[in-house]
Amino acid sequence: MSDIGEITDIEHGEGGGQRFTETEHENLGDRLQSSCAGICIGFLLFFGAFPLLYWNEGRAVERYEALNEAEAQVTTVFDPWNISVANEGKLVHFSVNITNGDSNNGGPTDPIFGISSPDALQLHRQAEMYQWVETKSTSTTKTYGGGKKTTTTYSYSKQWEDYLVNSYNFRRNNRGQYDNPSSMEFTPETFTATSIKIGAFDLPQSLINRINWAEEMYVTLDNITNVELRERTESYDGGYYIQSSFDSIVSNSNIDYNYNDVTTSSSSQGDGGAQIGDQRVFFQQTPPSIIHCRSSKW
């Protein structure tokens, strides 16, 4: 039976954290049992794959035939602004400008920062938070008597991530040394114009979800309409840097360790002055463009 031993090594790692290893020993009997189970599952997957393959090939043929039929029946429309009754119910193809149909109302707007882009189709807020991240690596070696030794190394470093890293799931938290905030004040979000036009028609939501182009948008502190937010925000690389109070809360707790191994300084000095919980926010906008459409409703 497998036996997980104690922590075998602890050392200082990069990014202000530590690295430690755990070793698991597995004897020959455990290995044979695992191998037999794997063989049985392999046989089941092998024979079960044939009906799935047949079903998938049939769907591929049906799709190919449907596409060929549609190509033979497609009608090209040269003026997408002209609604023709003759094309009602037909499969049509056209090229058209995709535009913000409600640019007079300010366009998509971030309600927190007050950033807007009047002519854009979409406004994208990109947000990152400085957090502890756990990295896991595993290596396996054979031992005398047909056994196996598995060594797992866990390391901890501070990184910028655009999602919340749950430090409660870390293998080793060292009495809260690697705690992350429980939430992100600013998260990535996309704001879409209330009306997006393709010619004389509104772009359906199914196609809005497929918009996949964007360009960087430079913002300044003057663009922030929230006065309280503006006062605690710094300009940073075309976007914003917001310092967190999370580190000061941790340092005032009863935990006895040196939490911050970097010197507190201005965000302009890069990661060397970043603290856990600090955030960076950038913006992108999706400008109008020309798209090619096929539709059966005209």
Side-chain angles (χ1 to χ4, degrees):
M1 101 184 262
S2 61
D3 175 32
I4 300 179
E6 298 295 329
I7 296 173
T8 58
D9 185 36
I10 297 179
E11 60 181 89
H12 187 77
E14 298 179 358
Q18 290 181 327
R19 179 167 48 240
F20 75 96
T21 59
E22 290 182 340
T23 303
E24 177 183 357
H25 298 276
E26 188 176 15
N27 59 36
L28 180 60
D30 292 325
R31 295 189 64 191
L32 290 175
Q33 184 177 1
S34 299
S35 298
C36 291
I39 292 173
C40 293
I41 295 174
F43 274 115
L44 292 175
L45 292 176
F46 177 77
F47 290 107
F50 287 102
L52 290 176
L53 180 63
Y54 177 80
W55 173 76
N56 187 60
E57 288 294 330
R59 291 189 62 194
V61 171
E62 291 177 359
R63 183 174 180 83
Y64 176 77
E65 293 175 348
L67 289 174
N68 284 339
E69 182 180 357
E71 185 177 5
Q73 297 178 359
V74 68
T75 300
T76 300
V77 175
F78 297 98
D79 183 8
W81 293 95
N82 181 24
I83 301 177
S84 174
V85 179
N87 292 325
E88 181 69 31
K90 291 183 179 180
L91 180 63
V92 296
H93 168 266
F94 58 94
S95 298
V96 65
N97 287 319
I98 177 172
T99 59
N100 183 343
D102 196 26
S103 59
N104 293 331
N105 289 332
T109 302
D110 184 326
I112 296 179
F113 287 85
I115 307 297
S116 63
S117 183
D119 296 324
L121 308 178
Q122 292 180 323
L123 176 68
H124 310 274
R125 182 210 299 154
Q126 310 293 330
E128 303 172 325
M129 186 165 71
Y130 202 51
Q131 304 173 78
W132 284 109
V133 175
E134 179 184 72
T135 303
K136 173 182 174 182
S137 61
T138 302
S139 62
T140 301
T141 56
K142 294 181 179 179
T143 60
Y144 179 77
K148 182 176 68 172
K149 182 178 76 171
T150 301
T151 301
T152 304
T153 301
Y154 299 88
S155 58
Y156 299 89
S157 61
K158 299 175 182 179
Q159 300 179 24
W160 290 101
E161 298 292 351
D162 60 2
Y163 60 94
L164 183 66
V165 178
N166 188 352
S167 57
Y168 291 104
N169 293 332
F170 287 172
R171 187 70 177 90
R172 179 179 174 85
N173 199 300
N174 198 18
R175 294 187 302 141
Q177 181 177 1
Y178 305 130
D179 277 351
N180 286 327
S182 59
S183 63
M184 293 177 65
E185 182 178 5
F186 311 106
T187 57
E189 194 166 348
T190 295
F191 309 95
T192 302
T194 56
S195 174
I196 297 181
K197 293 287 188 180
I198 48 171
F201 296 89
D202 289 320
L203 188 69
Q205 187 62 47
S206 60
L207 294 182
I208 291 177
N209 295 337
R210 296 175 63 182
I211 293 177
N212 59 2
W213 67 92
E215 61 186 21
E216 299 299 326
M217 182 178 176
Y218 182 85
V219 292
T220 66
L221 292 178
D222 292 336
N223 297 130
I224 302 178
T225 58
N226 185 314
V227 177
E228 185 275 332
L229 178 58
R230 186 194 308 146
E231 290 177 348
R232 61 188 182 93
T233 301
E234 302 176 39
S235 291
Y236 178 84
D237 197 21
Y240 301 128
Y241 192 104
I242 301 95
Q243 291 186 337
S244 170
S245 60
F246 179 75
D247 271 349
S248 62
I249 295 174
V250 172
S251 62
N252 290 331
S253 68
N254 294 323
I255 299 175
D256 183 21
Y257 57 79
N258 182 13
Y259 185 83
N260 296 310
D261 50 42
V262 293
T263 303
T264 303
S265 61
S266 171
S267 63
S268 61
Q269 296 184 18
D271 293 352
Q275 302 294 310
I276 297 297
D278 286 1
Q279 287 206 244
R280 301 188 302 198
V281 176
F282 304 95
F283 286 90
Q284 293 181 324
Q285 60 183 350
T286 298
S289 183
I290 297 177
I291 61 173
H292 304 278
C293 296
R294 287 187 176 89
S295 175
S296 60
K297 294 181 180 180
W298 185 261

